[in-house]
Structure formats: C-alpha cells, structure tokens
C-alpha cells in the first residue's frame, strides 16, 4: 500500500517502529532465521482442514468436499442452498484474507485495515459509491432466488469465521494486529455483490483514453491527436461478427443480414464535442484526475490496452473430436493469490430442485462459477470494451450546477472514513444528474476546465468547471442473477436469456454445447448518447449530451453457427460500424491478437485439416510479434557503422519473430521498439502521460517551472504510474506506426540533437538512433556480450501479495512474494504477457488462467491457474501451478464423478 506522505513525523516514526516489529514477527512466523517449532505451527494454524468431518451451522444435509493434489475442490450436495453454503465455507478456508481486502476496497474502507495512507483512496471509492449501489441491487433488483444463494454463501463464510482468532485465519492478520486493533466482521451478501463493481471498474472501457486525448491538447494539434487514435483497421483485422445488421422492421439484430460490405446508419466520427476541455488549465486538472485514478487499487490490472482476453470456439466439423472445442485465457494483472479460484459445484442428483452441475473459475467471495461448463454447455468471457463511462464538465456554484441555463441542486451525502490509528475523516459527496463529482476529491480538480477552450455558448468559467462521472455500474443491475442463470443454461436460448442480465461489465460471451452448436453474444448496458461520441469530456451544462437510454438487448450483435465454423473474441471490434447503427465504442483493441488467432485457425483447417485440443493449447502460447513483422525488415536495412551496435543488429537476421524466453533477438527487438516509441512519440507527449522518472528538456513555452537561462530549456519529468504511461507499445501503437513506416519523412521522425547524437529528420535516422540507444540500454541491463542476452531475463514476472507484498518492507515481500519467472510472449501477442514500453519490460498483465474445454467429453478438458488454490503464503498449493503455467502446460480437469473420485487426494465431509 502507498506510504503516507502527509502524516506528522512522530507518526511516521511510530509506523516505522511497528513495521520493523512486523518484519521480525513475520520472520518468526515463517521460521526464517529461527526455524523453531513455534514458527511452523503458527503458519500451519491457518491451513484449512481438508479431511475428516466438520459440523457446520445451517446445513440441512451432508456435503462432500473432494480436493485433488492441487487443492482444487469439487463440492457435492443434495440441495442448492447447501451447495453454496459449502462454497462459502471452502473459499473462506483458502482465501479469506483476499476476500476481506477486496470487500474493504469495494466499500472504501481500506483505511480501517491499513491506516491513513488509504484515506485518499477511500475518499474516491466512497465518492463512486460501489457499496451503496451493491446494497441497492440486493435490496430491490436481484431475484429472491439469487438472494437466497448469496445468503447461503455468507452463512458458509461466517461458519468458517466463527470462534476463530484472526491469526488462525491467515498469517497477514497477525501482522495487522501489530499496527491496529482490526477486527474481522461477518460476511454479508452485499460483500459478494459489490465485487462485481470492482470488476466493472477495471473493465470500464475508454475513460483513460478520454482523459489522455484531453491532456494531449496542451502539446499536440487536433490532427496529431487523431493520428494517435487511428480508426479500427477493419480491412486487416476481422471483427468478431463479420455480418449481421439490425432489422428496422423488428428492431432486432439479424445475424444473417448483410455481410462485410453491409451498410448501416454509421456513426459520426471526429470531434463532435467542441465544448470539451483543452489548454494548460484543463491539462493540469485532468492530469490530477489521472493521478487519483492511479491510486485506486487495480484489482484486475492496469486499465488500458492490456486489460483484455482471448477466447475462441471451433465447431465440431473442424475438430478432431467432432465436437466443439472452446478456449479462454483472460489477461489481467498478475496477483498472488491468483484472481481466479478453480472449483466444481455438483448436485448429487440434478433435478428441478437442485439444478447445478458446473465447474470452472470463479472469484473468491462470490458464489457460482463465472467461466466454465456444465453438463450441456461451455462458455468463456472476454472484455467487450464498450464505452460505458463519460466525464462531464460541470459549471458549478454554491447552490448547484448549471443545465440549459438553470441551476439544479446537488444531491449530497456525508461519508465517515474510519482510520486505523488515526481520527475519523468526514467527506461530503456531491452528485449532479450525470453522477458523482469526482473533482471534489482533489484540490486541483476543483478548478477543472479553468482555461479550457470552449465555444461562445459555454457558461462563464468563473473559478473553473467541476468534473462528474457517468458510468453504467453506478446504477443497480442484475449481473449477479446472470451468473447463476449461466451456470444452469442448457442451450443457446437459455444462454442468451442469462446474458441479457449480464449488464455490467459488458463482456463478449462465447458458447458451445453438446449438440454441436457454437455461438456468441455481446451483452451489457451500453449507453445511447444524444450528442458526442464519448471520446472527450462533454459539456454537462448542455442537455443534448445526456444519455438517451441504452441499446436494447435485442439489438446487440450475436452469432449462431456461423458458416466459417469458428468464432474469435480478443477485444477487437465487435462489428463493422458501417453495418451497425449504435455506437459501442470508438476505442477498441486494435485486433492484433484476434487476427493472429483467426489466421492460425485458417492455417490449421485449410485443405481439410482438423484442430485438436493440443492445437488449441499451442495457439494459446503463440508468441509471435506482429510489430516485428513490420519493423524488423527495415531495421535490417539500416547501415550501421558502429561495430558495437552492428553486433546487436545481427541478432535480428533470420529471426522468426517469436518471443521465446531464451531469445536474444526478441530482447533486442523489443528494446529497439521501446526506444523508437520514446524518440518518435513519448518525448513529444505532455508530462501527465509520460512515466514517472522519464525526464526530458522542453521549450519554456511548453512547460511550467524555472527556465534554464543557459540552455533556454526546462527539465520536465513524467508523472504517470509506469504501468499506465504512454506510449505503452500496444497494438494501437502498431496501427499508428504502420502507415508511418512507409514514409521516409514525417514530423514524428524528427527529434532534437542531444550530447551523443545529432538531430534526426528521417525514419532511418531515427531507427538508427533507436538501435544505438537499445544497444546501450541492454548492455547496462544484460551485459556486453549479446550471446548472453535473453528476452526472459528482461521480461520477468514477480507474483506479489496484494497488500504487504507490494509496498511492505523487503523482508516481508520476500516472505510473501514469489518469483521471478523469465517469460516469453509479449504485448499484443496471443501469449499476452504484457509490458508497458513507457515503463519498462516487467510483466504487468498475464493470461491469468488458461482453459481448453473438450465439449461433451468433459473429462478430457484441461485447465491451469496462474498461482494455486491457496491464499496461505506457505501452503503447498500457494504457487504450485505457476511453473507449469509459465511453460504453457495445462492440467487435467476432472468433472464427472468417476474422474473426480480418481483424482481426489483429500475428502472433507461437512455435516449439519
């Protein structure tokens, strides 16, 4: 957790003393340096009981929990309430600390666990009000059946917590006890519902792009910004749905209508929001908002290009089994324990009163299964990326905010933030008709838009405009209902009926069933805007920019048994916007991964070839670099006279563009790519977008601060978290660079001279300079001898405990964290071990799990998790799957009773 930079010195000294004590105690707990029996026994005290019998309150019948060697549980019960009751108990056994931290995030109560350093984060989270919305969902929206399941789950969690000391639940609580008097509260159904809000936040779409475009106006022209956000390349990268249109007579999407050349109403592109922000004043204030966003825990990963996933499904006529095959690997932040929890939920006898026989991946703290299969269907998810957030500039005053010339009163509420070791803090949350005023959470943001260029019709800016956030997740929805409905679905109709309620976050859903059918559905609550396209903050004082409603579910694109025989979703465009009347987003992923998967499937199936389950696994680990296919031939043509740089250039000769961990060529190419981006784009971006520590000299007119009178330049350093800085090097940048590589001269290829290199004016001059800079960079990181270089030594994954393991003292991190692992793959590759070119080479998002479902022959399906089933730092199942995951291997996935029994290592019986 971030350190507190505002506390008085005495408190800092006190916290340091407590942290030193914490280090010593955790060292004892782990047996480090002491190795005594007390250390071992204390660690093991929190390990779950996995054999024998346990009496459980409120159970109505006996429940079996069968665990395999990896600790993955399969639960068998006679009724639905007992099934979810046992799920809560078992997840609490393995992951309660993780569950507890998550619910404090979603409720804006991190300060109760970690003290004053989290007050700002809690203030922002309270302003968003995730927990309040979750409570509204539970009280008035979710079905009685769903609430019964949530209550049963909570009863199971609380049965585990009953009569247990915190230190017996997880070793982290022993550490917390040294810094505050934190007490564990009972679990509630709303704690489970609120987790969906955190999931929606990290998958919220283009909010960061909206901010970034506004920030760029301080240094780039409108035409330059447009170049940095190119149109989706439909001619190169196939959208998910290659035909279909909304039938005007029925108001429904017809998946068989039209085709690649289909015409629709289209969507207006370009800047339709002339009242939007820009200029240095808005730049600094939106930069402050971006900094606030960086402090919010990214439970799924850094929001932006890397948040995505791969999924695809292949019809049985193209597979060796004659049945569909379905693959999924969501790309999220590496976490320890993994975000996902593998398990099976089985009614011993499936009937009208006990309908669940499902296995797959779920989240700790939430009942049901999110991704997986039952006895009839399988499904997977990827982020659709719909634009479901809009920032609004608001003309605010003491009495309210302006709309169409009239002042409307704020909606206000008070929130009290309890602080471990400190005094309570009170904040006032104000909201407009669009949503909460996020600008209230920063003193800088109070004057958002102070100098923003606006049209003459805009109201006087006075002391500045506020900024409010409209977001679909801030309205009660039924996504929790959808999860249980998916788990029970038996055919495409019931699957689509379940998807209809999967409102937030908007996900691509793929489908296969035992009858041989495959399908796709795009669900979600996606706004229909009056004016504007969501790419820039909108003028809140003009009601024309209001949301008119939401795209009806019947109009959302879907497919069923397409002629091509497969469906690929990897965050690319859903459908060509020319054929579709509604705006889903202007900020798609750009389709590098999806097109590579399409190409691999086409290559494998041409001339009658068939795809096997192992082919699906091999595709998941494909690590080819698309940008290398474009850039590497040009790099080889550069005449390099420096023998030191020429030695590195030779690594690229004959390279096949794969990014294996032991590849020296991949290491050098990615370093060159990083330096090309920095020289051509990064050094031209405002500081609010560049990574912390990335410092450049700029002309005084472009920066604030004292001027260097000798050189007439100002030293300006980046301000953004390296994981979310720009240029990040993702496939948007591939599409930016693609046309420029055909131009020998461009303003982007020009760079000023520095003390080591002359100015560049052409493409080849800049590429030569990037190759030289990359050689020096890797010499510093990997040594002089290029034969010892490898991509994996640069591109490392370290798994970190999400609280004490991220910012705690070094010894604590050593005790709780694991790694590093040297990985292959890369940004925008199918094996998406993502890294941010502006920040460095470390892995910041990963395929968080992988699965290949053999539909109908379920026990031949295979899966793997990033870490392991256990959240206990020294348990054998803490990271027992990671080595195999890093190698691209999959484990057997037992589903049928006989297969589960054969793989069972431990059996626990829960009794009433």
């Amino acid at each position: 957790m971030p350190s507190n930079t505002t506390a008085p010195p005495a408190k800092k000294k006190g916290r340091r003393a407590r942290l030193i004590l914490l280090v010593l105690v955790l060292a004892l707990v782990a047996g480090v340096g002491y190795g005594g029996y007390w250390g071992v026994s204390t660690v093991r005290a929190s390990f779950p009981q996995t054999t024998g019998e346990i009496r459980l309150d409120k159970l109505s019948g006996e429940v079996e929990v069968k665990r395999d060697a990896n600790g993955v549980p399969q639960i068998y019960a006679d009724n639905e309430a007992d099934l979810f009751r046992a799920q809560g108990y078992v997840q609490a056994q393995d992951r309660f600390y993780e569950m507890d931290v998550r619910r404090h995030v979603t409720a804006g109560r991190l300060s109760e666990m970690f003290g004053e350093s989290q007050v700002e984060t809690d203030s922002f989270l309270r302003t968003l009000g995730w927990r309040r919305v979750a409570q509204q969902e539970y009280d008035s929206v979710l079905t009685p059946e769903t609430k019964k399941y949530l209550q049963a789950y909570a009863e199971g969690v609380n049965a585990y917590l009953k009569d247990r000391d915190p230190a017996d639940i997880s070793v982290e609580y022993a550490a917390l006890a040294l810094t505050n008097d934190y007490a564990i509260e009972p679990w509630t159904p709303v704690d489970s519902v609120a987790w969906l809000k955190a999931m929606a936040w990290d998958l919220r779409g283009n909010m960061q792009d909206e901010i970034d475009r506004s920030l760029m106006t301080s240094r780039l022209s409108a035409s330059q910004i447009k170049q940095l956000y190119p149109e989706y390349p439909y001619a190169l990268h196939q959208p998910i749905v290659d035909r279909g249109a909304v039938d005007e007579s029925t108001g429904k999407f017809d998946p068989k209508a039209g085709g690649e050349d289909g015409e629709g109403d289209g969507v207006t592109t370009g800047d339709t929001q002339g009242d939007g922000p820009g200029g240095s004043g808005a730049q600094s204030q939106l930069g402050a908002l971006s900094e606030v966003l960086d402090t919010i825990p990214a439970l799924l990963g850094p929001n932006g290009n890397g948040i995505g996933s791969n999924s695809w499904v292949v019809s049985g006529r193209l597979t060796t089994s004659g049945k569909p095959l379905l693959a999924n690997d969501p790309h999220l932040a590496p976490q320890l324990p993994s975000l996902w929890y593998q398990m099976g939920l089985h009614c011993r006898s499936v009937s009208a009163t006990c309908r669940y026989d499902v296995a797959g991946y779920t989240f700790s703290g939430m009942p049901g299964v999110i991704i997986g299969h039952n006895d009839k269907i399988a499904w997977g998810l990827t982020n659709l990326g719909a634009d479901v957030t809009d920032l609004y500039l608001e003309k605010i005053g003491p009495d309210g905010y302006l709309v169409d010339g009239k002042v409307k009163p704020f909606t206000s509420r008070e929130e009290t933030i309890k602080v471990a070791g400190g005094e309570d803090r009170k904040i006032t949350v104000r909201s407009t008709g669009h949503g909460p005023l996020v600008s209230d959470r920063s003193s800088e943001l109070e004057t958002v838009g102070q100098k923003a260029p606006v049209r003459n019709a805009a109201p006087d800016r006075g002391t500045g405009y506020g900024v409010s956030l409209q977001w679909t997740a801030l309205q009660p929805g039924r996504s929790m209902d959808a999860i249980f409905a998916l788990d029970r679905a038996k055919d495409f109709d019931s699957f689509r009926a379940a998807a209809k309620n999967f409102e937030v976050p908007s996900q691509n859903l793929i489908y296969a069933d035992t009858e041989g059918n495959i399908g796709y559905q795009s669900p979600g609550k996606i706004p229909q805007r009056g004016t504007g396209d969501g790419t820039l903050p909108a003028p809140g004082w003009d009601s024309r920019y209001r949301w008119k409603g939401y795209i009806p579910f019947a109009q959302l694109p879907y497919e069923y048994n397409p002629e091509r025989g497969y469906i690929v979703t990897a965050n690319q465009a859903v459908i060509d916007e020319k054929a579709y009347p509604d705006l889903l987003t202007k900020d798609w992923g750009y389709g590098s991964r999806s097109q590579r998967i399409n190409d691999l499937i086409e290559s494998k199936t041409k001339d009658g070839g068939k795809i096997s389950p192992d082919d699906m696994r091999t595709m998941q680990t494909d690590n080819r670099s698309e940008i290398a296919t474009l850039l590497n031939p040009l790099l080889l043509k550069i005449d390099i006279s420096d023998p030191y740089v020429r030695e590195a250039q030779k690594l690229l000769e004959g390279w096949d563009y794969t990014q294996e961990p032991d590849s020296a060529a991949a290491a050098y190419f990615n370093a060159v790519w990083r330096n090309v981006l920095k020289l051509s784009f990064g050094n031209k971006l405002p500081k609010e977008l560049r990574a912390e520590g990335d410092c450049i000299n700029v002309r005084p007119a472009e920066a604030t601060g004292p001027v260097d009178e000798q050189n007439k330049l100002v030293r300006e350093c980046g301000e953004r978290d390296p994981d979310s800085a720009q240029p990040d090097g993702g496939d948007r940048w591939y599409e930016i660079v693609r046309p420029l590589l055909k131009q020998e001269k461009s303003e982007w290829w020009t760079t000023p001279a520095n003390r080591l290199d002359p100015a560049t004016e052409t493409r080849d001059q800049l590429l030569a300079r990037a190759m030289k800079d990359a050689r020096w960079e890797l010499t510093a990181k990997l040594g002089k001898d290029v034969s010892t270089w490898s991509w994996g030594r640069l591109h490392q994954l370290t798994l970190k405990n999400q609280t004490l393991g991220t910012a705690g003292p070094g010894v604590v991190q050593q005790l709780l964290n694991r790694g590093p692992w040297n990985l292959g793959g890369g940004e925008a590759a199918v094996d998406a071990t993502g890294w941010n070119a502006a920040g460095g080479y470390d892995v910041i998002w990963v395929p968080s799990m992988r699965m290949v479902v053999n539909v109908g022959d379920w026990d031949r399906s295979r899966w793997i998790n990033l870490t392991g089933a256990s959240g206990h730092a020294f348990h054998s199942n803490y990271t027992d799957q990671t080595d195999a995951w890093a190698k691209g291997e999959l484990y057997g996935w037992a589903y049928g009773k006989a297969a589960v029994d054969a793989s069972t290592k431990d059996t626990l019986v829960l009794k009433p």
Side-chain angles (χ1 to χ4, degrees), residues 42 45-46 96-97 100 160-177 180-185 872:
T42 302
S46 62
F96 183 75
Y97 179 74
D100 199 16
Y160 176 73
L161 297 178
K162 185 179 179 182
D163 300 327
R164 276 187 168 82
D165 291 331
D168 292 334
I169 293 172
S170 190
V171 70
E172 288 93 340
Y173 289 115
L176 286 180
N180 62 57
D181 56 355
Y182 175 76
I184 297 173
E185 296 177 355
H872 299 287

Side-chain angles (χ1 to χ4, degrees), residues 847-870:
S848 55
M849 62 80 160
R850 297 187 183 101
M851 73 177 194
V852 174
V853 182
N854 201 320
V855 176
D857 194 357
W858 304 115
D859 293 329
R860 294 183 62 196
S861 302
R862 299 178 69 76
W863 64 354
I864 200 161
N865 206 349
L866 172 64
T867 60
S870 179

Side-chain angles (χ1 to χ4, degrees), residues 416-475:
T416 300
I417 299 172
K418 296 184 180 300
V419 183
E423 296 181 358
D424 291 355
R425 309 290 177 84
K426 291 187 181 296
I427 64 169
T428 299
V429 177
R430 299 188 297 173
S431 296
T432 72
H434 299 115
L437 273 172
V438 289
S439 53
D440 280 353
R441 299 284 70 84
S442 165
S443 58
E444 287 182 292
L445 284 169
E446 291 175 2
T447 56
V448 158
Q450 187 176 8
K451 298 180 181 179
V454 292
R455 292 178 179 174
N456 292 335
D460 179 69
R461 59 174 52 93
T463 58
Y465 302 130
V467 178
S468 63
L469 169 66
Q470 186 160 16
W471 177 33
T472 55
L474 298 184
Q475 301 168 26

Side-chain angles (χ1 to χ4, degrees), residues 241 250 349 490 711 791 805:
V241 175
T250 64
S349 178
K490 299 300 183 184
N711 299 308
W791 177 225

Side-chain angles (χ1 to χ4, degrees), residues 579-595:
Y580 192 70
D582 285 298
L583 174 65
L584 299 176
T585 185
K586 296 296 292 180
D587 292 304
W588 298 111
Y590 281 77
S592 293
R593 285 180 286 109
S594 61
Q595 193 56 46

Side-chain angles (χ1 to χ4, degrees), residues 307-324:
I307 287 286
S309 305
N310 300 323
S311 73
W312 66 96
V313 60
V314 182
S315 168
R317 66 181 173 86
L318 299 178
T319 69
T320 56
S321 67
K323 292 286 189 179

Side-chain angles (χ1 to χ4, degrees), residues 674-695:
R674 166 173 150 84
N675 281 279
V676 167
L677 290 170
K678 178 180 172 63
L679 291 169
S680 53
F681 304 103
N683 291 349
K684 298 177 176 74
L685 296 176
K687 64 182 183 298
E688 290 86 357
L689 273 70
R690 300 199 317 274
E692 292 172 345
D694 176 12
C695 299

